[in-house]
């Protein structure tokens, strides 16, 4: 059997990144893409969208929960990010 290990709130990468930046007190312009885009522009190229940098898969963890009673300690990416930040600040 194959189980998807995902949280309960599938979200686009940009939303997860925006929440991480908010928790870290960074501006939305500080998303890391500016440096990549600037280097590409300096080389006379455009950054092409690929599934690697724009991909978004919606998965469910219901089967794992129903068959094994699995519970998440961080049900959504928001709680997960807050837990990571809490561990880092110790």
């Amino acid at each position: 059997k194959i189980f998807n290990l995902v949280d309960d709130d599938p979200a686009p990468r940009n939303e997860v990144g925006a929440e991480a930046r908010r928790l870290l007190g960074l501006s939305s312009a500080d998303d890391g893409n500016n440096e990549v885009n600037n280097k590409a522009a300096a080389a006379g190229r455009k950054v092409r969208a690929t599934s690697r940098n724009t991909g978004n898969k919606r998965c469910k963890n219901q089967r794992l929960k129903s068959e094994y009673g699995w519970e998440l300690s961080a049900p959504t990416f928001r709680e997960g990010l807050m837990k990571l930040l809490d561990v880092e600040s110790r």
Side-chain angles (χ1 to χ4, degrees), residues 34-50:
N34 290 334
E35 183 178 346
V36 172
N37 290 332
N38 290 341
K39 285 182 180 180
R45 295 177 288 136
K46 287 181 75 175
V47 175
R48 193 178 58 157
T50 65

Side-chain angles (χ1 to χ4, degrees), residues 2-15:
I2 296 174
F3 293 95
N4 290 317
L5 302 176
V6 297
D7 70 13
D8 292 339
D9 185 17
R13 285 184 190 180
N14 63 341
E15 189 176 326

Side-chain angles (χ1 to χ4, degrees), residues 12-86:
R13 285 184 190 180
N14 63 341
E15 189 176 326
V16 176
E19 179 65 7
R21 287 188 301 279
R22 186 189 71 75
L23 290 171
L24 293 170
L26 301 174
S27 74
S28 60
D30 213 0
D31 66 2
N33 288 327
N34 290 334
E35 183 178 346
V36 172
N37 290 332
N38 290 341
K39 285 182 180 180
R45 295 177 288 136
K46 287 181 75 175
V47 175
R48 193 178 58 157
T50 65
S51 63
R52 179 117 173 105
N53 62 14
T54 62
N56 222 359
K57 312 248 182 327
R58 299 287 197 249
C59 300
K60 294 183 180 180
N61 57 24
Q62 194 57 45
R63 189 167 139 203
L64 186 60
K65 288 173 152 184
S66 63
E67 289 187 29
Y68 290 96
W70 187 58
E71 290 184 33
L72 295 163
S73 63
T76 73
F77 72 89
R78 290 173 188 84
E79 287 92 354
L81 289 172
M82 287 188 286
K83 282 180 170 263
L84 288 171
L85 189 59
D86 184 46

